[in-house]
Amino acid sequence: MEQARLPEWEPDLVDDVITKAETRLEREKTMARRRALQLARERAYHRLAVAIDRPSRPPVGPGQLTLFPEDPTLFDA
């Protein structure tokens, strides 16, 4: 059985959809890179602020709890 020919406008439509999808994918990758960079900056600013605001440490006994942990993370403050 022979395959029916596609209308002449259909291959153009498929090519257009593929081009738009590729463009959208590149735009999303660019936005994701920018967002990752922004999050890294915010993390660095936060760690700097915590380091600046942290009081000097008095000697702490081995069984005593401390208010500030040894290795601060983004959400410790």
Side-chain angles (χ1 to χ4, degrees), residues 1 6 8 13-14 17 22-25 28-29 32 35 39 50 56 58 60-61 66 72-73 76-77:
M1 188 166 183
L6 296 174
E8 64 182 61
L13 177 67
V14 172
V17 169
E22 289 171 345
T23 303
R24 186 178 66 231
L25 178 63
E28 288 173 357
K29 284 181 180 180
R35 182 65 182 142
L39 287 173
V50 167
S56 61
V60 177
T66 61
T73 61
D76 281 343

Side-chain angles (χ1 to χ4, degrees), residues 52-66:
I52 290 171
D53 290 341
R54 183 174 291 153
S56 61
R57 295 180 186 240
V60 177
Q64 185 177 357
L65 295 176
T66 61

Side-chain angles (χ1 to χ4, degrees), residues 4-69:
R5 291 192 56 169
L6 296 174
E8 64 182 61
W9 54 267
E10 195 165 353
D12 293 335
L13 177 67
V14 172
D15 291 339
D16 186 45
V17 169
I18 290 172
T19 303
K20 286 181 180 179
E22 289 171 345
T23 303
R24 186 178 66 231
L25 178 63
E26 286 302 316
R27 187 174 59 242
E28 288 173 357
K29 284 181 180 180
T30 302
M31 294 301 291
R33 277 189 233 106
R34 288 180 184 168
R35 182 65 182 142
L37 179 62
Q38 180 63 30
L39 287 173
R41 285 181 182 149
E42 289 175 9
R43 183 180 301 137
Y45 294 147
H46 177 76
R47 287 186 178 178
L48 178 62
V50 167
I52 290 171
D53 290 341
R54 183 174 291 153
S56 61
R57 295 180 186 240
V60 177
Q64 185 177 357
L65 295 176
T66 61
L67 182 60
F68 296 102

